């Protein structure tokens, strides 16, 4: 999966970078670009593609977990929850 050039992080805006990254990933999940029950890119990949710190990626992931979009599968990674399994 590659970085969508139309969805870039804007460090000049007042919206925190982690919220921008969470919005990008949320959009990819909602559009089906990252389908249910599939892994999202690794934290390292997201950090490199969007040129943000690993801590920023972690905060974005925490936000998406809290919204019910992601679940951790031990030893495998972070996976998209199907819409019917999401709870906020």
């Amino acid at each position: 999966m590659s970085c969508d050039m139309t969805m870039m992080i804007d460090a000049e805006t007042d919206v925190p970078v982690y919220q921008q990254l969470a919005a990008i990933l949320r959009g990819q999940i909602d559009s089906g670009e990252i389908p249910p029950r599939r892994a999202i890119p690794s934290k390292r990949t997201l950090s490199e593609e969007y040129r943000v710190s690993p801590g920023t990626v972690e905060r974005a992931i925490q936000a998406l977990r809290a919204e019910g979009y992601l679940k951790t599968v031990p030893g495998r990674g972070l996976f998209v929850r199907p819409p019917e399994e999401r709870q906020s």
Side-chain angles (χ1 to χ4, degrees):
M1 183 158 320
S2 65
C3 178
D4 178 354
M5 292 311 224
T6 62
M7 296 295 295
M8 296 299 294
I9 301 295
D10 181 357
E12 302 297 316
T13 184
D14 63 343
V15 178
V17 173
Y18 83 92
Q19 288 180 0
Q20 292 180 58
L21 179 57
I24 290 168
L25 293 172
R26 190 180 305 107
Q28 291 174 343
I29 292 167
D30 288 341
S31 73
E33 185 178 338
I34 306 174
R37 301 192 186 284
R38 298 290 180 214
I40 66 167
S42 71
K43 293 175 188 177
R44 177 185 292 178
T45 297
L46 291 170
S47 179
E48 290 172 357
E49 284 188 2
Y50 291 97
R51 295 185 173 111
V52 297
S53 74
T56 297
V57 173
E58 183 59 37
R59 286 188 72 188
I61 287 169
Q62 287 174 357
L64 292 171
R65 271 195 198 117
E67 293 171 20
Y69 275 85
L70 300 176
K71 67 178 177 179
T72 301
V73 177
R76 302 231 12 243
L78 289 160
F79 287 77
V80 176
R81 286 183 186 275
E84 63 273 10
E85 291 181 11
R86 294 180 196 155
Q87 49 189 328
S88 22

